[in-house]
């Protein structure tokens, strides 16, 4: 028996766990879920909500199970009268300060607080309603904040500060006036916020949710004059199943396509197609920059949270961003030009919908650069969660649906396109194509394990492009991105190509993915997308026959004039509203 | 004044607090010279042998605190002097700083030497800003004379003291909130573990002591005759700085031997109740303290006796005397308002509990309360004290809970209202 194992009992059951384990985790290991709201397995401990109070023999006070480390011989009781009274009391205090609008709440039936109420058989507290009367904040295209529902658990603050390194949300005020908000209560988009939506993933209640656009889609579907076309991002197919009780990482492509067709979309296309297109443009751009002395290192631009981060926090680095649009943006442009021409549709009659794992994509779709002649290339962006809502409305049981294929011709994607959803995936897809375009030889081995990785962290690798070595870096989570930027700006690193995804694990861990997404599920999804890639006959973007066709018929070649016009974009510095510089330099009174 | 003693306050009025030379003239820094010849653990042992308990309110064994702090292995450690003195009715630390700033600094330097720290921070409440120039000048003079800085008195020990001002939050008297505030963050308590002794201010192992605790160190080190131990009771030796205020004729700061009764403090030292009035209650240890009824006045002022009498065991040393002119419910509402204002808002029981109890007390004051209201008040007061994250929430309802026990009549249901 190892020396650093601790023996304790929980409700008289013996438990053995490594030293340094907290009571809540020790209980979890034997299947006991101690009630909690602020505790989150992927976050540091906050001990704010005090729901997890338990009794430990010999201790005068109740102890918080989330913050207390186990010790040898500890006896924990999680269900005594004292514990019950304290937990119900805390729950009642939280309920009295929570606007109970459950039926109309985005998180109805998917809410940690509601689950606790069910568990404690609690409907209304004995206490008067003291919830905030602030109006919900609908001040950006991506995220709604509803302060009346906030339980002040601090999960959003932690994810924003510790994982993303942004700190757009924080606690302000004290006592009953304590609340979570942005700097100076400004609209989120005018603060440091990049709309990544990680806060909406960790919020235990409906205080932070995506802006719901399902009604826009339904409205379009009910309009007979519109061609409603949908594209689905690579990472949605390995996450959607979560919302229907399937195994983490379950691949539901075929069922999802069936569901979209049954919902009524005229055409169901695959963003993997435009991911391949992105690789053609971005890969060519990289080779062009290397050959012609362009701005290096070149950094990927697929992740809209990341692009927002660059525009807001590092405008000086903008020339490093690839000008290639994101796959969503490219798809929209292709749909409303090439495909519209092919079908003889007026672009104004097309409603271009995308299903994305992302809240920042909602913002991206509103960028004026991503449209022309008075229309936007993508009209409505749904998150994975909103797609699940549409499927529920339709009354479909995803698990039992038959499988269907994406429509042609914008429905074929390679394995390289599929792994766009993973951290390191864009890099790997680009390397597969760049290698073959650069050397003219066939890649001996398609997998670039060195750039594959886990949730969080930074990976560096040197790739041999037939004699020329290419130093690359991959990061996910904006805190890591900031570190990569630091290395580049300080001259510490001499990368040529960098892939950054704003969310932990990449798009599979995006802010629009099903509630309950955590690092364990992220890992399962990463595995699933790599397995999908491996199972496909087509694994290189430049070999995708539909990609070849679109260049033959429309774009001519990567980086052509037309490609530049439709598939590339521009970025601009976006100053934050609050600028302390004058104060810092003492020029302001 | 036969019942007061002069040990911690022995220098009051004996030297010019603005002058280091004047402090040296009366023997200042003799204790530091002695301490520098002693091992840190030996110094901690002097504290333990004299049974010194921390004077900030938590009454932790001070010698143990120092020896634990010394045992922590780290390249840098710090000492923090908690001069936040936020407990309403407490003003003994203010008098110690005002009358004897050098003894405090001497105590802090000895603390630094004993625990192996290289920096000391005085965190002084914002309201004491008038004392800043005095302390800053005292620190500067000590630096000039080599009592602070590199290689203090040729001992090889280097140590600096920094003065910080709080911004007025009561909760910053709590050690970890103090550390947050010191670092420039909002003053909100931290989750424990890690404890301050391992990871406190600036993430360094930190030894936090109250002004009085640190001021006690120099006289104690020089007390070879055992005067300190001869004071007080065998169980609880020594002396204590107390502050008496409220409806007494002679409010002020006194140094008393442990074991003196509350009655003696009020009637002999503080001159008794203002003319023509009756003592109604005494609150001990500040706003977070329990209420004593007149029947408890003969309780000896020791940790043990006070605890046995179900009173706050010394706490901050505040004694607030209230006569019959103040209604008990009115008094509780003011106390509740204070905690409602001062809760940091981080943890549920304290953030929400203070709000609801305040509303319930308003009902009691209006006479519109029901049995259920009283039950709820007690229920949430207990949840606050058992489930809050820090000492603030834990003790915020001490006054209420003790009042419910000792003055049940003021919570009685007004029948006519209840029936209607």
């Amino acid at each position: 028996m190892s020396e650093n194992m601790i023996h304790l009992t929980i409700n008289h059951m013996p438990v053995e766990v490594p030293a340094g384990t907290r009571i809540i985790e020790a209980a979890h290991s034997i299947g006991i879920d101690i009630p909690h709201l602020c505790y989150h397995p992927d976050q540091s401990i906050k001990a704010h909500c005090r729901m997890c109070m338990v009794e430990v023999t010999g201790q005068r006070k109740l102890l918080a199970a989330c913050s207390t480390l186990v010790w040898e011989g500890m006896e924990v009781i999680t269900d005594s009268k004292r514990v019950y009274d304290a937990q119900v009391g805390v729950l009642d205090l939280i309920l009295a300060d929570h606007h109970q609008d459950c039926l109309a709440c985005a998180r109805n039936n998917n809410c940690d607080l509601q689950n606790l109420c069910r568990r404690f058989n609690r409907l209304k507290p004995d206490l008067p309603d003291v919830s905030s009367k602030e109006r919900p904040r609908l001040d950006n295209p991506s995220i709604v904040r509803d302060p009346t529902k906030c339980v002040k658990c601090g999960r959003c603050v932690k994810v924003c500060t510790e994982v993303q390194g942004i700190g757009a949300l924080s606690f302000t005020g004290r006592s009953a006036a304590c609340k979570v908000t942005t700097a100076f209560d400004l609209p989120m988009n005018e603060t440091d916020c990049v709309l990544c939506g990680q806060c909406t993933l960790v919020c235990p209640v409906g205080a932070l949710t995506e802006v719901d656009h399902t009604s826009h889609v339904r409205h379009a579907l009910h309009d007979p004059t519109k061609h409603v076309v949908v594209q689905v991002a690579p990472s949605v197919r390995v996450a959607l199943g979560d919302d229907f009780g399937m195994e983490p990482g379950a691949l539901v492509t075929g069922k999802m396509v069936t569901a979209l067709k049954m919902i009524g979309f005229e055409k169901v296309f695959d963003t993997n197609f435009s991911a391949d297109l992105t690789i053609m443009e971005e890969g060519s751009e990289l080779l062009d920059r290397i050959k012609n002395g362009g701005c290096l290192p070149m950094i990927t631009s697929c992740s809209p949270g990341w692009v927002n981060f660059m525009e807001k926090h590092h405008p000086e680095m903008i020339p490093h961003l690839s000008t290639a649009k994101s796959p969503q943006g490219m798809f929209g442009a292709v749909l409303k030009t090439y495909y519209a021409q092919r079908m003889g549709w007026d672009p104004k009659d097309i409603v271009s919908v995308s299903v994305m794992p992302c809240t920042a994509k909602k913002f991206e779709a509103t960028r004026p650069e991503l449209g022309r002649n008075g229309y936007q290339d993508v009209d409505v962006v749904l998150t994975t969660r909103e797609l699940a809502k549409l499927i529920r409305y339709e009354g479909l049981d995803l698990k039992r649906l038959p499988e269907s294929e994406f429509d042609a011709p914008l429905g074929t994607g390679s394995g390289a396109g599929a792994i766009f959803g993973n951290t390191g995936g864009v890099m790997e897809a680009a390397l597969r194509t760049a290698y073959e375009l650069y050397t003219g030889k066939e890649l001996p081995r398609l997998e670039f394990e060195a750039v594959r990785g886990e949730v969080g962290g930074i990976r560096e690798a040197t790739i041999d492009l037939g004699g020329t070595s290419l130093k690359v870096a991959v990061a996910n989570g904006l805190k890591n991105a900031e570190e990569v930027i630091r290395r580049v700006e300080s001259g510490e690193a001499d990368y040529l190509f960098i892939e950054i995804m704003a969310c932990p694990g990449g798009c599979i861990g995006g802010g629009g993915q099903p509630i309950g997404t955590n690092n364990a599920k992220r890992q399962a999804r990463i595995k699933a997308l790599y397995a999908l890639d491996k199972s496909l006959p087509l694994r290189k973007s430049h070999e995708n026959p539909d990609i070849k066709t679109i260049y033959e018929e429309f774009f001519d070649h990567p980086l052509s004039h037309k490609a530049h016009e439709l598939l590339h974009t521009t970025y601009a510095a976006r100053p934050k509203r609050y600028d302390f510089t004058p104060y810092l330099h003492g020029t302001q009174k | 004044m036969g019942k007061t003693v002069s040990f911690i306050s022995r220098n009051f009025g004996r030297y010019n607090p603005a002058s280091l030379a004047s402090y040296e003239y009366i023997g200042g820094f003799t204790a530091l010279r002695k301490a520098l010849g002693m091992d840190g653990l030996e110094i901690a042992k002097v504290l333990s042998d004299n049974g010194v308990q921390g004077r900030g309110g938590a009454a932790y064994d001070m010698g143990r605190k120092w020896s634990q702090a010394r045992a922590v292995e780290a390249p840098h450690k710090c000492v923090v002097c908690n001069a936040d003195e936020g407990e309403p009715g407490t003003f003994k630390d203010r008098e110690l700083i005002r009358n004897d700033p050098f003894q405090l600094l001497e105590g802090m330097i000895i603390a630094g030497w004993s625990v192996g720290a290289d920096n000391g921070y005085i965190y002084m409440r914002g309201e004491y800003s008038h004392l800043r120039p005095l302390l800053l000048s005292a620190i500067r003079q000590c630096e000039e004379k080599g009592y602070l800085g590199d290689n203090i008195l040729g001992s090889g020990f280097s140590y600096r003291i920094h003065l910080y001002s709080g911004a007025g939050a009561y909760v910053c008297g709590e050690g970890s909130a103090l550390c947050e505030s010191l670092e420039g963050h909002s003053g909100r308590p931290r989750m424990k573990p890690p404890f301050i002794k391992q990871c406190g201010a600036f993430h360094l192992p930190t030894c936090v002591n109250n002004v009085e605790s640190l001021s006690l160190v120099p006289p104690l080190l020089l007390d070879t005759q055992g005067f300190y131990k001869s004071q007080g009771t065998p169980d609880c030796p020594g002396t204590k700085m107390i502050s008496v205020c409220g409806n007494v004729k002679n409010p002020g700061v006194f140094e008393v031997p442990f074991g003196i009764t509350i009655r003696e403090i009020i009637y002999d030292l503080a001159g008794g109740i203002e003319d023509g009035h009756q003592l109604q209650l005494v609150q001990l240890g500040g706003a977070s303290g329990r209420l004593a009824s007149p029947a408890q006045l003969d309780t000896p002022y020791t940790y043990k006796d006070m605890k046995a009498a179900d009173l706050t065991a010394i706490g901050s040393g505040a004694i607030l005397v209230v006569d019959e002119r103040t209604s008990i419910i009115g008094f509780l509402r003011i106390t509740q308002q204070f905690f409602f204002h001062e809760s940091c808002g981080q943890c549920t029981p304290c953030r929400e509990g203070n709000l609801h109890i305040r509303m319930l007390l308003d009902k009691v004051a209006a006479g519109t309360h029901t049995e259920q209201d009283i039950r709820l008040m007690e229920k949430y007061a207990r949840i606050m004290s058992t489930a809050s994250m820090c000492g603030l929430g834990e003790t915020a309802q001490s006054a209420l809970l003790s009042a419910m026990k000792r003055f049940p009549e003021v919570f009685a249901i007004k029948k006519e209202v209840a029936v209607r």
Side-chain angles (χ1 to χ4, degrees), chain A residues 22 45-50 53 60-62 67 69 82 85-86 89-90 92-94 96-97 126-128 130 151-152 171-176 178, chain B residues 168-170 188 191-193 339-349 351-356 359 372 376 379-380 383 385-389 394:
Chain A
R22 298 177 193 277
I45 304 295
K46 298 162 278 295
H48 287 170
C49 76
R50 316 307 281 182
M53 304 310 290
R60 184 177 55 85
K61 283 186 68 182
L62 297 179
S67 64
L69 300 172
R82 232 179 126 205
D85 287 349
V90 169
D92 278 1
L93 287 170
I94 293 171
D97 193 11
D126 297 333
L127 299 165
V130 292
V151 294
K152 287 100 176 169
F171 282 106
T172 173
R174 50 186 212 182
S175 193
C178 175
Chain B
Y170 168 79
R188 293 196 174 95
M191 179 204 84
K192 284 143 257 170
F339 283 107
F340 172 68
H341 181 66
E342 294 293 350
S343 164
C344 84
Q346 227 175 183
C347 79
T348 311
R351 179 185 65 240
E352 308 291 342
N354 274 316
L355 170 66
H356 287 285
M359 295 194 299
Q372 164 80 347
L376 286 178
K379 172 178 161 187
Y380 288 105
I383 286 172
S385 56
T386 193
S388 291
M389 188 173 165
E394 213 179 298

Side-chain angles (χ1 to χ4, degrees), chain A residues 340-361:
Chain A
Q341 280 171 29
R342 220 177 121 132
M343 300 295 286
W345 292 348
D346 183 344
K348 291 201 165 68
D349 291 336
I350 303 176
V351 177
S352 155
V353 178
S354 70
V355 182
M356 295 284 141
C358 184
T359 50
K361 286 280 180 203

Side-chain angles (χ1 to χ4, degrees), chain A residues 142 200 210-214 236 240 354-362 380-389 511-514:
Chain A
S142 299
T200 66
E210 70 282 0
V211 176
D212 186 293
H213 288 113
T214 52
V236 175
L240 180 67
S354 70
V355 182
M356 295 284 141
C358 184
T359 50
K361 286 280 180 203
K362 287 177 184 273
V380 189
V381 180
L382 298 180
T383 58
T384 310
R385 300 196 284 270
E386 289 165 272
L387 172 58
K389 278 193 212 170
Q513 294 285 37

Side-chain angles (χ1 to χ4, degrees), chain B residues 9-69:
Chain B
S9 61
R10 69 198 166 126
N11 296 334
F12 281 24
R14 283 184 63 221
Y15 80 97
N16 172 6
S19 156
L20 172 59
S22 159
Y23 182 64
E24 285 174 316
Y25 182 74
I26 61 157
F29 286 108
T30 320
L32 174 62
R33 286 198 167 81
K34 183 175 178 187
L36 291 174
M38 292 166 79
D39 176 66
L41 286 178
E42 220 180 309
I43 299 170
K45 195 168 174 295
V46 172
L47 300 174
S48 291
D49 288 348
N50 282 287
V52 180
Q53 289 176 273
R55 300 299 166 83
Y60 193 77
D61 180 336
M62 195 171 158
R64 203 163 133 208
K65 186 184 258 185
W66 282 25
S67 50
Q68 283 174 341

Side-chain angles (χ1 to χ4, degrees), chain A residues 94-101 113 129-139 143-153 156 169-170 172 176-182 185-186 188 203 205-209, chain B residues 351-352:
Chain A
I94 293 171
L95 279 180
D97 193 11
H98 177 80
H99 177 45
Q100 290 185 57
D101 181 26
L113 183 58
D129 174 22
V130 292
S131 64
S132 158
K133 300 292 172 273
E134 273 185 71
R135 308 277 300 168
R137 298 291 196 86
L138 235 169
D139 50 30
I143 298 165
V144 200
R145 285 196 297 135
D146 186 348
T148 67
K149 291 179 183 152
C150 177
V151 294
K152 287 100 176 169
C153 69
C156 55
L169 291 170
S170 72
T172 173
C178 175
K179 64 172 186 175
V180 173
T181 186
T182 56
D185 246 351
L186 285 170
M188 286 182 100
C203 181
V205 294
L208 283 156
T209 52
Chain B
R351 179 185 65 240
E352 308 291 342

